[in-house]
Structure formats: structure tokens, C-alpha cells
Amino acid sequence: QVQLVESGGGSVEAGGSLRLSCAASGDTARNYYCMAWFRQAPGKEREGVANIDSRGRTYYADSVKDRFTASKDNAKNTLYLQMNSLQPEDTAMYYCAAVTSCVGSVLRSDLFPTWGQGTQVTVSS
């Protein structure tokens, strides 16, 4: 079993930046080669933000492309999300998710069995 713990959320003004982290722990953490970021705003469905597939390739939702950068430190079993040029519409709870393997863009929440508890990001105008 793997546990995911997100951190790094907070409140920023529009145009600001934040860096989220997701630490994976547990006996099988190293077996989860596909990880993703999702977000959910109040009253809205959970949406995919970015995922890194088993080949190490990164995919983004159109809404965050060119502003957000996902990366993974395999030695630390940690996923990151660097968020720049944040806008009020980026306000949401951000979740990390993991699955043992995937190929390509998999920004669908139903494909991921393991989730963190989330970290709140609030962007003010």
C-alpha cells in the first residue's frame, strides 16, 4: 500500500507562484510509476491538471499549459507541481494521485486508485 501526502498549498495574489509537493511512502511506493495532479473547486467536478506517465513523459490540461510544470524525483518518491502566473480560477483543492503504470495523458480521476488528502490553493485578484 502507498500513502500520498501533499504539501505546499497556500494563499497568493494573482500572478504569484506556488510549488506543491506530493510525497509517496509505503512498502510499494516505488512501484507507482504513474502520478498525477488533480484539482477540485467548490461546486465543480474534479479535473486533471497534469500527469507523468510510466515513461517519464508529462502531460497537461490546456488550462494550465505553459504556466504549470510537473516533475518527479524518483529517488525521493516525490511529485511536484510548480505553478506560475496563478489566476483566481486556479483556486481549488489540489490532489495528488497514483497508479502503478500508465502511458500517455490520463487526466481521468477514475483511473487512479490512490489519492492524497489534498492541499488548498487560493488565488486572490
Side-chain angles (χ1 to χ4, degrees), residues 34-119:
C34 178
M35 298 185 74
W37 289 101
F38 288 81
R39 66 185 181 185
Q40 188 166 18
K44 295 188 176 181
E45 292 188 356
R46 189 168 296 189
E47 65 170 345
V49 175
N51 77 272
I52 300 179
D53 74 2
S54 301
R55 298 176 180 175
R57 298 175 183 174
T58 308
Y59 300 85
Y60 299 95
D62 288 342
S63 59
V64 305
K65 205 171 292 184
D66 299 327
R67 298 189 299 124
F68 291 10
T69 302
S71 61
K72 190 168 178 282
D73 186 331
N74 291 322
K76 296 182 178 180
N77 291 329
T78 301
L79 178 71
Y80 301 98
L81 185 67
Q82 178 66 43
M83 305 186 295
N84 298 328
S85 301
L86 283 162
Q87 299 301 315
E89 52 266 34
D90 295 316
T91 295
M93 184 72 79
Y94 283 71
Y95 298 91
C96 171
V99 65
T100 53
S101 66
C102 70
V103 176
S105 176
V106 288
L107 297 178
R108 283 175 44 188
S109 59
D110 61 319
L111 298 178
F112 290 85
T114 303
W115 293 80
Q117 82 291 346
T119 185

